[in-house]
Amino acid sequence: MLLKLEQLQRAGSFKPRGVLAKLATLSAAERDAGLVAVSGGNHGLAVAEVAGAAGVAAVVVMPENAPARSVAAARAAGADVRLTADIPAAFALAGELQAAGATLVHPFDDPVVLAAQGTAGLELARDAATLGEPPTDVLVSIGGGALLSGVATAVRALLPDTRVWGVETVGAEAMSAALAAGGPVPVTITSAITTLSAPSVSQLTYDHVRELVHDVLVVPDADAVRGSVELAEHAGIWAEPAAGCLVAGARTVVARHPDARLALVVCGANADVADVVGAARPPA
């Protein structure tokens, strides 16, 4: 099994790839207007870090149940963090701020962001090919779908025989719902994994996944939490449950394809250790 360690990136996830690329495309007027981002945690933290380093003002809108460490870190980076009741309310507030003149850095409905997230897949495919035994199957978590879309584009271009799988958690099934409906539809978020909790995917990410992804797997929150613990215990890696869900997904892939050689894109590490360990502990 190959692990692409995106949790080691600055801000603790793959997200700065997209934010840096988007910032590079903005005009001076768009920068001066200030950035606004909506996020379950990782995207908002990346926007805060990148904007702070570039001297650009940023407002980050997160739901109240976003990881406390992400909220604190975004504020420490200089962002104006605003909390809402849930993720749909966060998207609504971000839309209001954009309408008032701020420059939106969307977490997934942006071709620049999608392409930049795909550089993780480009690196994975090139490194795996260099090893001489590339993976038969690559697993990627799904929030709004930009990481999966970008990785699938790169992997399928360089390793055309490799299957790419998406993994969601129960109660955050925006891509599964879109595939069943034939296009993006709103979903009710009940999953506790906030960094995967997009209220819908976009047409952009849906189109990529429909064309390039082998299948989308859905696992319970409890399995995602256990996956984080297993990555710590067996691989010495701390990863948030948004990445832990890939462990459960990997078991499904191996059950279907016993000779599979797996690659997992470990997307982030922004979850409090005590919270994850507590959630993994069986009830008394």
Side-chain angles (χ1 to χ4, degrees):
M1 181 183 292
L2 298 177
L3 302 177
K4 183 74 171 77
L5 302 183
E6 289 297 298
Q7 89 285 0
L8 297 178
Q9 297 281 6
R10 180 168 176 170
S13 81
F14 68 96
K15 289 287 191 177
R17 294 176 181 268
V19 177
L20 282 161
K22 184 63 178 178
L23 189 64
T25 70
L26 298 180
S27 66
E30 288 170 323
R31 290 185 180 214
D32 290 345
L35 309 182
V36 61
V38 57
S39 170
N42 288 339
H43 177 65
L45 178 52
V47 169
E49 289 263 9
V50 171
V56 176
V59 177
V60 173
V61 188
M62 296 187 191
E64 292 174 346
N65 63 342
R69 62 180 289 163
S70 296
V71 174
R75 284 178 170 149
D80 174 8
V81 178
R82 303 187 190 180
L83 300 179
T84 61
D86 52 31
I87 196 73
F91 272 92
L93 178 55
E96 293 173 9
L97 294 171
Q98 180 188 20
T103 301
L104 179 67
V105 181
H106 200 283
F108 54 86
D109 191 21
D110 187 311
V112 172
V113 171
L114 186 154
Q117 314 302 35
T119 59
L122 185 67
E123 293 165 5
L124 170 61
R126 286 176 172 170
D127 290 349
T130 299
L131 292 173
E133 197 170 64
T136 59
D137 299 88
V138 174
L139 286 83
V140 186
S141 307
I142 308 173
L147 178 63
L148 174 61
S149 298
V151 168
T153 300
V155 168
R156 294 294 304 279
L158 296 182
L159 304 172
D161 295 330
T162 295
R163 294 176 291 258
V164 180
W165 306 71
V167 184
E168 295 180 308
T169 50
V170 174
E173 299 160 65
M175 189 61 75
S176 297
L179 293 170
V185 292
V187 296
T188 299
I189 300 299
T190 59
S191 172
I193 314 302
T194 62
T195 47
L196 297 184
S197 297
S200 71
V201 299
S202 67
Q203 190 67 44
L204 176 70
T205 56
Y206 165 77
D207 289 342
H208 279 76
V209 171
R210 181 191 60 199
E211 294 297 324
L212 298 170
V213 173
H214 181 73
D215 199 1
V216 173
L217 308 173
V218 181
V219 306
D221 278 3
D223 287 356
V225 170
R226 280 194 293 271
S228 289
V229 174
E230 289 177 314
L231 284 170
E233 290 178 338
H234 300 294
I237 290 169
W238 177 247
E240 63 193 68
C245 71
L246 300 176
V247 177
R251 290 194 170 98
T252 299
V253 172
V254 170
R256 296 184 189 180
H257 305 282
D259 295 328
R261 297 188 303 275
L262 304 178
L264 277 56
V265 180
V266 181
C267 56
N270 291 314
D272 295 309
V273 174
D275 290 345
V276 174
V277 172
R281 187 175 296 120

